[in-house]
């Protein structure tokens, strides 16, 4: 849930009100509400990485596929990336409103 935007479902639309009272409305079918606070490249990279690990399970990735690390990069513009990397089997990190996941390295620009 955003700490700077008011996001609501109104009928078939998702409405967004910003801090400066700007108002936006999008068809709900064109939206995907994610459990992140900001739609920054850093948070999107971490979200995609953790969802990918969760989809396969850390145990499967390590023991069946030999994966020891994973990395996801999200581009905001050409040559402007946010990267999030996790070493599988590392100490878990409790993320806000998420279950315990492998500890990701801080996202980098």
């Amino acid at each position: 849930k955003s700490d700077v935007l008011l996001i609501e479902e109104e009928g078939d639309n998702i409405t967004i009100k910003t801090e400066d009272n700007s108002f936006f409305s999008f068809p709900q079918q064109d939206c995907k509400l994610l459990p992140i606070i900001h739609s920054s490249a850093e948070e999107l990279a971490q979200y995609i990485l953790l969802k990918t690990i969760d989809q396969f399970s850390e145990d499967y990735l390590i023991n069946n596929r030999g994966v020891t690390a994973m990395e996801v990069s999200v581009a905001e513009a050409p040559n402007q990336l946010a990267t999030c990397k996790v070493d599988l089997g590392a100490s878990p990190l409790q993320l806000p409103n998420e279950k315990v996941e492998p500890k990701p390295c801080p996202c980098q620009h």
Side-chain angles (χ1 to χ4, degrees):
K1 181 170 170 124
S2 176
D3 58 357
V4 294
L5 301 173
L6 176 61
I7 301 172
E8 296 180 323
E9 295 180 42
E10 293 185 7
D12 292 336
N13 288 356
I14 300 291
T15 61
I16 301 172
K17 187 174 179 183
T18 67
E19 289 180 307
D20 69 357
N21 289 321
S22 295
F23 179 82
F24 302 90
S25 181
F26 303 97
Q28 196 167 16
Q29 65 191 28
D30 292 347
C31 299
K32 174 69 175 169
L33 298 177
L34 301 176
I36 59 177
I37 296 174
H38 305 104
S39 58
S40 66
E42 293 84 3
E43 284 193 45
L44 288 170
Q46 184 180 58
Y47 175 78
I48 293 167
L49 177 63
L50 296 178
K51 288 298 282 185
T52 301
I53 292 168
D54 187 51
Q55 181 71 34
F56 292 101
S57 91
E58 184 177 6
D59 180 64
Y60 172 80
L61 291 169
I62 293 170
N63 297 318
N64 294 73
R65 303 301 297 175
V67 177
T68 58
M70 292 183 74
E71 181 175 291
V72 170
S73 296
V74 173
E76 295 177 310
N79 299 315
Q80 188 174 353
L81 297 175
T83 299
C84 194
K85 179 180 178 183
V86 65
D87 294 318
L88 298 176
S91 302
L93 172 69
Q94 181 71 44
L95 297 173
N97 301 319
E98 293 283 339
K99 67 181 185 175
V100 174
E101 298 285 354
K103 182 178 181 179
C105 298
C107 292
Q108 309 158 3
H109 270 293

